[in-house]
């Protein structure tokens, strides 16, 4: 047992939308970052549904329902793996994925109808716009915003560089 409190994790906000193929490709970087940093890096999904993707807003609400039901990231990753299917099938796919993961699919359907998660999605989107997010994926770590919507080339290395600096500053 130690008398010193453990350092708070570095936070990486991932501004994402679940119909975005670029966000799907960004998952490999997220997996690598988690493997490298473990619980020293907290990855938070922030919703930024784009108008060009007609099912992104519903997908963001569904992701919040998955969080409530205890499987946020597994659901997010499962939907991102099927961005093309989501573009074709829409909301029925969101409910189907919930069922595949053993979540209460009926509750997902109800959540999409009653809009119980609208405020969270709207707040994320508004905050994203306020800090200059224009596309997805966009990462914010420390005070730096990195736009992965244009190119993801070199982003993971840049995130690691910032995370290492922030973690070293905690010592």
């Amino acid at each position: 047992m130690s008398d010193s409190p453990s350092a708070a994790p570095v936070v990486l906000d991932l501004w994402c939308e679940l119909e975005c193929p670029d966000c799907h490709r960004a998952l490999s970087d997220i997996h690598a970052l988690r493997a490298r940093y473990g619980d020293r890096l907290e990855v938070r999904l922030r919703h930024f549904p784009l108008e060009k993707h007609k099912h992104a807003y519903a997908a963001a609400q569904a992701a919040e329902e998955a969080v409530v039901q205890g499987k946020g990231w597994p659901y997010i990753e499962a939907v991102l793996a099927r961005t093309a299917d989501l573009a074709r099938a829409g909301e029925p796919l969101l409910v189907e994925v919930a069922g595949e993961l053993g979540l209460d699919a009926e509750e997902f359907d109800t959540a999409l109808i009653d809009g119980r998660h609208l405020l969270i999605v709207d707040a994320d989107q508004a905050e994203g716009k306020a800090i200059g997010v224009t596309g997805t994926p966009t990462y914010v770590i420390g005070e730096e915003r990195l736009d992965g919507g244009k190119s993801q080339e070199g982003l993971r290395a840049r995130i690691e560089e910032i995370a290492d600096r922030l973690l070293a500053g905690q010592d």
Side-chain angles (χ1 to χ4, degrees), residues 8-162:
V10 169
V11 174
L12 172 65
D13 282 332
L14 168 59
W15 298 88
C16 178
E17 68 119 276
L18 300 185
E19 198 174 336
C20 172
D22 290 333
C23 290
H24 174 244
R25 286 189 287 280
L27 277 180
S28 62
D29 285 341
I30 296 299
H31 290 152
L33 290 166
R34 283 187 173 142
R36 177 174 175 168
Y37 294 102
D39 59 6
R40 296 179 305 145
L41 180 73
E42 178 186 352
V43 179
R44 297 189 308 195
L45 181 89
R46 306 298 301 273
H47 302 291
F48 201 80
L50 301 170
E51 288 183 21
K52 68 181 180 179
H53 294 133
K54 94 179 194 186
H55 305 294
Y57 197 81
Q61 293 176 71
E64 286 302 316
E65 182 59 29
V67 169
V68 168
Q69 292 192 30
K71 290 191 178 175
W73 276 103
Y75 183 83
I76 289 161
E77 292 187 19
V79 173
L80 280 172
R82 297 171 71 178
T83 55
D85 295 340
L86 178 57
R88 282 190 304 277
E91 290 184 23
L93 178 78
L94 299 171
V95 175
E96 178 183 318
V97 170
E100 290 169 1
L101 292 174
L103 298 169
D104 184 340
E106 191 174 308
E107 195 61 30
F108 265 76
D109 195 36
T110 302
L112 290 171
I113 292 167
D114 70 19
R116 67 184 73 160
H117 303 297
L118 288 173
L119 291 176
I120 294 170
V121 176
D122 288 346
D124 274 3
Q125 192 168 41
E127 185 179 336
K129 286 179 182 177
I131 65 168
V133 175
T134 58
T136 58
T138 296
Y139 305 87
V140 176
I141 182 169
E143 299 296 318
E144 297 193 47
R145 180 173 39 89
L146 307 168
D147 185 355
K150 294 180 179 129
S151 170
Q152 294 180 59
E153 189 66 36
L155 278 182
R156 186 171 81 209
R158 183 72 183 121
I159 291 167
E160 289 172 349
E161 183 182 301
I162 296 165

